Amino acid sequence: MTTYATQSVVGVLASGGLDSSILLAHLLESGLCVQPLYVRFGLAWQEAELRALRRFMEAVDSPRLNPITVLEMPVDDLYGDHWSINGLDVPGADTPDEAVYLPGRNALLIVKAAIFCELHGIEELAMAPLESNPFPDATPDFFGDLEAVLNRGMRGRVRLTRPFGHLSKQQVMELGQSYPLELTFCCIDPRGDSHCGQCNKCAERQAAFRLIGLDDPTKYLQTGGHAPGSRTHWE
């Protein structure tokens, strides 16, 4: 695992999902001061996601945990009449990875959060992609190139780190199984604050708990359908 200096302040891109919530709690447990950053795009599930993240933060409360900062980055002008905006025809449990890919999302997330870090004297921005992430905007080369461009443009020194970049989903779930994972949120078609149980991300969540033989504490509105393997694009 990446080693951090005691009492360092680390910005964390947090979504309320399993991986980023485990990362947030793990960094706190490691003795770090953590600044959670949530970037709101205006996507159909984000308000439920943000409420879940706040509940998780309350449960892992620590004097080293700063209040969440919500950054606004509306994308409706980019994505238009897309399922992620209008909530229609949401990818189901049997859909492939590509069905939930949102072009440019990682770049937008990171640019906004990195600028915040630079303006507030935070020299590290951590995020939670895993080694299994199949998309081009989650590779070591992508993060290295983006870090160089950002720091050249800001004359700064923000490091983009991926503490779980060499870990599998099973390893991350094992690392975080003692945390209040029931408070995390991984659904792209929620009803209020409830997981639908039928979408691509709910299937991924169900598979994640099975990987470590842990009973899934999530209450799904519906169950059934094939749960694909562990996909981790933006948790």
Side-chain angles (χ1 to χ4, degrees):
M1 300 295 291
T2 303
T3 301
Y4 298 90
T6 303
Q7 298 305 314
S8 296
V9 179
V10 177
V12 174
L13 267 173
S15 72
L18 287 167
D19 300 335
S20 67
S21 296
I22 291 171
L23 175 61
L24 184 153
H26 175 67
L27 295 180
L28 284 174
E29 200 170 62
S30 301
L32 284 156
C33 296
V34 172
Q35 173 59 64
L37 301 169
Y38 185 91
V39 182
R40 182 157 46 196
F41 285 79
L43 305 179
W45 60 87
Q46 283 199 298
E47 293 308 314
E49 193 177 63
L50 182 55
R51 287 190 293 270
L53 175 57
R54 293 187 190 279
R55 289 191 292 268
F56 184 86
M57 288 176 55
E58 288 176 4
V60 298
D61 189 32
S62 164
R64 296 189 310 280
L65 179 60
N66 292 337
I68 188 171
T69 293
V70 179
L71 303 171
E72 303 293 343
M73 178 70 81
V75 295
D76 56 316
D77 56 341
L78 291 174
Y79 290 170
D81 190 25
H82 188 262
W83 65 264
S84 63
I85 300 293
N86 61 30
L88 302 176
D89 298 319
V90 173
D94 291 317
T95 55
D97 293 329
E98 291 74 16
V100 297
Y101 179 63
L102 299 179
R105 188 165 192 252
N106 272 358
L108 293 173
L109 283 168
I110 294 166
V111 168
K112 189 87 176 190
I115 294 171
F116 175 92
C117 289
E118 169 65 17
L119 292 174
H120 291 81
I122 299 172
E123 297 185 1
E124 180 177 353
L125 175 62
M127 56 211 82
L130 311 187
E131 68 173 0
S132 60
N133 194 306
F135 298 116
D137 59 358
T139 64
D141 286 346
F142 169 82
F143 287 107
D145 291 345
L146 185 55
E147 178 184 292
V149 168
L150 283 168
N151 284 316
R152 191 176 303 126
M154 298 186 297
R155 295 183 178 178
R157 50 181 181 179
V158 177
R159 293 181 294 120
L160 306 181
T161 63
R162 300 174 303 127
F164 295 165
H166 63 295
L167 299 180
S168 68
K169 186 74 167 190
Q170 180 173 344
Q171 289 173 310
V172 171
M173 289 295 291
E174 288 171 346
L175 179 67
Q177 61 185 310
S178 65
Y179 301 144
L181 300 183
E182 69 278 4
L183 300 178
T184 62
F185 191 85
C186 317
C187 179
I188 51 177
D189 194 20
R191 301 295 182 270
D193 289 341
S194 298
H195 287 76
C196 73
Q198 295 286 309
C199 73
N200 178 288
K201 300 303 286 186
C202 281
E204 178 183 312
R205 181 181 180 89
Q206 293 158 15
F209 283 101
R210 287 200 300 272
L211 282 173
I212 59 172
L214 194 64
D215 288 339
D216 185 349
T218 312
K219 294 182 179 179
Y220 299 99
L221 293 179
Q222 301 181 63
T223 57
H226 171 65
S230 300
R231 296 188 292 261
T232 53
H233 184 43
W234 63 67
E235 286 190 21

